[in-house]
């Protein structure tokens, strides 16, 4: 065992470039997985914090069929329906040149209705010690209240004005107060919040006379009677839903987006596995004589197999550790791209802090190590099969490789057919779709050696005429060293497919 370990260590020292590429292949695959996971987790955390802060203590919400309600419905609910705890809300999104890259969540409220829902925005409550009385919103048209972190980022204090743009329209809004959150959750949820009086928000957002929703707070004892009166007043298409239903629906929609990103990151890890397989195959091919000598000295097949897999495991550990650190760095940039996509497609969310859940980092480590060892299994078995006599015969290696090309092509065609069949199934299960996609990629990779041989045969006459003897030798060299060129070409095929994806 010591002899095998010493031989492996000396080989890696004499081939630092190959070792570097192996570690880099694992690191890049793990980095993509970790960075996408961190970006997704951070976006979800920010959205939940924002939703909880804005939704407050509401138990139910009244939503319109077309995304808005007539503001007179709120009056009828208070007067005719006898609903005491109700608050009208107008929501929208704005941007500001003073806050580049931040999507502002415009929240229009009636300060006199906010006490049961968001006490920090209730009139006369001094924002529960958060530093401002939002009744100042009623004094000046277009006035806004910002959170402390947002105001500090824009360099604004009370008395300044904030430039905003909404759907191509510019406006300057006087800042009449700054909210100073006391805890981390409130600070996270208010980071992108821009609070206005409901009439000013309607004017800014171009929705005069319309409400985004009406929040309700219904006690359990009389919930049935109150909700029945509310439903009797609703226009066609409007509905009453439990608070959080809309947030859950948005989380469900973004779940599909997250799943596709995760699948793409796993495809990148598959590419890393091909790099590792390529590197380990090169390593075994280059060391065939050494492995044959070790076998002649009494090293068993099992020890050879364990030694190659152990070498791959150490490469996986090193690459995964580097990949996790690189993934954290990449995640800080990727979270902005993911957030921008979410803002464009679904809802406004702002992420300034990268969440680092330990389970994501551990998953990245385990995926990297597991993928590396798995990719090293075929070359490890090849190394274990080496006998002292065959190890010194280079032609035997290439002859065996060429004999396996048709067999690999048949398996590749079978995988492509199975993958196409799975993709053609009349189902919306994403697991089935990704399974079919993986089988198709693997099938194309196994077809690559046969495709390379056929293309070289077609290109050989052209290369002979254009490049002479050098072109002929180059073409023959690709086929003659198929044990080394085939994995490299397959890796390139997978890399291009992942890049295009």
């Amino acid at each position: 065992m010591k002899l095998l370990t010493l031989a492996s260590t000396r080989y890696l020292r004499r081939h630092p470039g190959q070792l570097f590429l192996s570690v880099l292949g694992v690191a890049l695959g793990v980095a993509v997985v970790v960075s996408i996971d961190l970006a997704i987790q951070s976006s979800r955390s920010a959205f939940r914090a924002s939703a909880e802060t804005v939704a407050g203590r509401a138990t139910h919400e009244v939503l319109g069929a077309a995304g808005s309600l007539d503001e007179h419905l709120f009056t009828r609910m208070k007067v005719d329906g006898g609903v005491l705890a109700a608050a009208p809300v107008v929501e929208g999104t704005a941007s500001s040149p003073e806050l580049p890259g931040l999507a502002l969540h415009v929240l229009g409220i009636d300060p006199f209705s906010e006490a049961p829902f968001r006490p920090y925005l209730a009139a006369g409550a001094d924002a529960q010690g958060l530093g401002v009385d939002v009744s100042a919103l009623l004094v000046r048209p277009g006035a806004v209240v910002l959170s402390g972190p947002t105001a500090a980022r824009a360099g604004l204090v009370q008395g300044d004005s904030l430039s905003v743009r909404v759907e191509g329209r510019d406006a300057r809004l006087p800042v009449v107060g700054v909210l100073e959150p006391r805890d981390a959750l409130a600070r996270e949820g208010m980071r992108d919040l821009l609070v206005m009086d409901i009439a000013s928000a309607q004017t800014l957002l171009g929705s005069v006379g319309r409400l985004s929703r009406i929040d309700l707070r219904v006690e359990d004892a009389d919930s049935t009677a109150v909700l029945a009166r509310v439903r009797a007043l609703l226009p066609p298409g409007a509905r009453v839903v439990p608070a959080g239903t809309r947030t859950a629906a948005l989380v469900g929609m973004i779940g599909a987006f997250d799943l596709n990103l995760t699948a793409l990151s796993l495809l990148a890890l598959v590419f890393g596995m091909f790099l590792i397989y390529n590197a380990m195959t090169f390593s075994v091919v280059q060391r065939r004589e050494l492995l044959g000598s070790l076998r002649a000295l009494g090293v068993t097949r099992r020890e050879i197999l364990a030694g190659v897999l152990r070498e791959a495991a150490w490469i996986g550990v090193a690459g995964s550790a580097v990949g996790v650190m690189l993934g954290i760095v990449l995640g800080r940039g990727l979270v902005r791209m993911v957030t921008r996509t979410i803002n464009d497609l679904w809802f406004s969310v702002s992420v300034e802090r990268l969440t680092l859940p330990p389970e994501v980092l551990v998953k990245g480590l385990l995926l990297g190590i597991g993928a590396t060892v798995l990719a090293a299994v075929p070359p490890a078995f090849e190394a274990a099969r080496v006998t002292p006599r065959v190890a010194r015969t280079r032609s035997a290696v290439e002859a065996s490789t060429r004999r396996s090309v048709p067999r690999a092509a048949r398996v590749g065609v079978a995988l492509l057919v199975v993958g196409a069949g799975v993709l053609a199934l009349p189902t919306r299960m994403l697991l089935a779709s990704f399974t079919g996609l993986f089988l198709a990629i693997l099938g194309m990779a196994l077809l690559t050696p046969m495709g390379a041989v056929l293309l070289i045969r077609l290109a050989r006459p052209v290369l002979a005429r254009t490049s002479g003897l050098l072109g002929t030798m180059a073409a023959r060299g690709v086929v003659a060293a198929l044990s080394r060129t085939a994995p490299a070409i397959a890796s390139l095929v997978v890399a291009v497919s992942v890049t295009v994806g």
Side-chain angles (χ1 to χ4, degrees):
M1 185 63 69
K2 289 183 179 180
L3 180 62
L4 190 58
T5 302
L6 183 61
S8 175
T9 304
R10 286 181 174 176
Y11 172 80
L12 293 176
R13 285 177 180 173
R14 291 199 333 239
H15 298 83
Q18 188 169 312
L19 176 61
F20 171 77
L21 289 177
S22 301
V23 173
L24 182 62
V26 181
L28 290 178
V30 171
V32 174
V33 174
V34 170
S35 62
I36 288 180
D37 275 352
L38 292 179
I40 290 171
Q41 294 282 355
S42 300
S43 301
R44 284 179 176 172
S45 299
F47 171 66
R48 288 194 181 96
S50 178
E52 290 174 8
T53 302
V54 172
R57 302 173 181 174
T59 60
H60 294 78
E61 297 174 340
V62 180
L63 304 175
S68 66
L69 298 163
D70 190 317
E71 64 181 9
H72 293 101
L73 176 61
F74 171 71
T75 305
R76 292 198 300 272
M77 288 173 55
K78 296 281 287 187
V79 176
D80 301 333
V83 181
L84 300 180
V89 176
V90 171
E91 289 183 295
T93 304
S95 60
S96 172
E98 298 165 41
L99 295 164
L102 181 65
L104 293 170
H105 183 181
V106 179
L107 181 67
I109 61 164
D110 172 19
F112 297 107
S113 302
E114 285 297 311
F117 301 94
R118 291 161 286 269
Y120 60 91
L121 298 179
D126 189 27
Q128 287 195 331
L130 297 184
V132 64
D133 181 0
V134 294
S135 358
L137 294 172
L138 304 173
V139 179
R140 298 180 64 180
V144 298
V145 169
L146 303 174
S147 70
T150 303
R153 178 175 172 180
L156 299 174
V157 296
Q158 186 172 337
D160 292 339
S161 60
L162 174 69
S163 299
V164 298
R165 168 166 287 194
V166 179
E167 297 180 355
R169 302 186 304 273
D170 295 321
R172 289 197 68 83
L173 309 177
V175 179
V176 297
V178 176
L179 291 167
E180 295 294 345
R182 291 171 297 181
D183 59 84
L185 180 61
R187 191 177 300 110
E188 183 81 10
M190 295 181 187
R191 182 178 55 247
D192 60 346
L193 201 58
L194 192 154
V195 182
M196 305 182 72
D197 171 62
I198 199 164
S200 298
Q202 288 173 327
T203 302
L204 177 68
L205 299 172
S207 58
V208 176
R210 309 298 297 177
L211 302 176
S212 301
R213 70 173 194 271
I214 298 174
D215 288 342
L216 304 177
R217 184 173 173 83
V218 182
E219 301 297 333
D220 293 338
D222 55 355
S223 62
T224 303
V226 172
L227 293 178
R229 292 199 302 270
V230 169
R231 290 191 177 96
L233 297 171
L234 296 181
R239 65 195 189 280
V240 181
V241 299
T245 301
R246 185 172 57 120
T247 299
L250 290 173
V251 169
M253 284 193 296
I254 194 176
F257 174 66
D258 293 351
L259 187 57
N260 278 280
L261 283 179
T262 302
L264 185 60
S265 69
L266 292 177
L267 278 179
L269 187 61
V270 170
F271 168 58
M273 289 177 66
F274 269 89
L275 288 179
I276 296 304
Y277 172 77
N278 197 8
M280 296 305 297
T281 301
F282 279 2
S283 173
V284 170
V285 169
Q286 289 175 340
R287 281 186 286 179
R288 284 182 69 85
E289 290 192 17
L290 172 61
L291 295 174
S293 299
L294 292 173
R295 293 279 287 115
L297 291 174
V299 178
T300 65
R301 296 178 186 271
R302 181 174 296 180
E303 289 173 336
I304 293 287
L305 177 65
V308 174
L309 291 179
R310 185 167 56 251
E311 180 182 308
W314 281 114
I315 291 175
V317 169
S320 299
V322 174
V324 167
M325 292 186 288
L326 184 59
I328 294 174
V329 175
L330 289 177
R332 298 186 187 280
L334 187 61
V335 70
R336 291 193 291 270
M337 300 173 65
V338 172
T339 302
R340 188 182 305 122
T341 304
I342 294 173
N343 288 336
D344 290 343
L345 297 180
W346 291 292
F347 48 80
S348 172
V349 65
S350 174
V351 184
E352 291 184 351
R353 181 172 58 88
L354 188 69
T355 306
L356 298 176
E359 62 271 16
V360 172
L361 306 182
V362 172
K363 185 182 84 171
L365 284 171
L366 294 179
L367 277 176
I369 298 171
T372 304
V373 174
L374 184 63
V377 168
F381 274 105
E382 169 64 22
R385 286 199 300 266
V386 171
T387 62
R389 183 180 62 83
V390 175
R392 299 182 178 277
T393 308
R394 176 67 190 171
S395 59
V397 182
E398 300 304 335
S400 174
T401 302
R402 285 193 292 272
R403 285 195 302 270
S404 66
V405 167
R407 184 167 59 252
R410 288 193 292 270
V411 175
V413 170
L415 290 176
L416 278 175
V417 172
V418 174
V422 172
L423 291 174
L425 291 175
T427 178
R428 297 179 63 85
M429 289 179 58
L430 285 173
L431 179 59
S433 299
F434 288 135
T435 301
L437 178 62
F438 177 78
L439 291 175
I441 291 175
L442 189 57
M444 288 299 298
L446 290 174
L447 274 172
T448 299
M450 176 65 78
V453 172
L454 294 177
L455 285 175
I456 289 298
R457 287 178 181 175
L458 293 175
R460 189 182 300 169
V462 178
L463 291 173
R465 285 195 299 268
T466 57
S467 303
L469 180 61
L470 187 62
T472 303
M473 292 176 61
R476 289 178 177 174
V478 172
V479 179
L482 203 59
S483 64
R484 289 175 290 177
T485 56
I489 298 172
S491 300
L492 182 60
V493 168
V494 176
V496 172
S497 67
V498 172
T499 302
V500 173

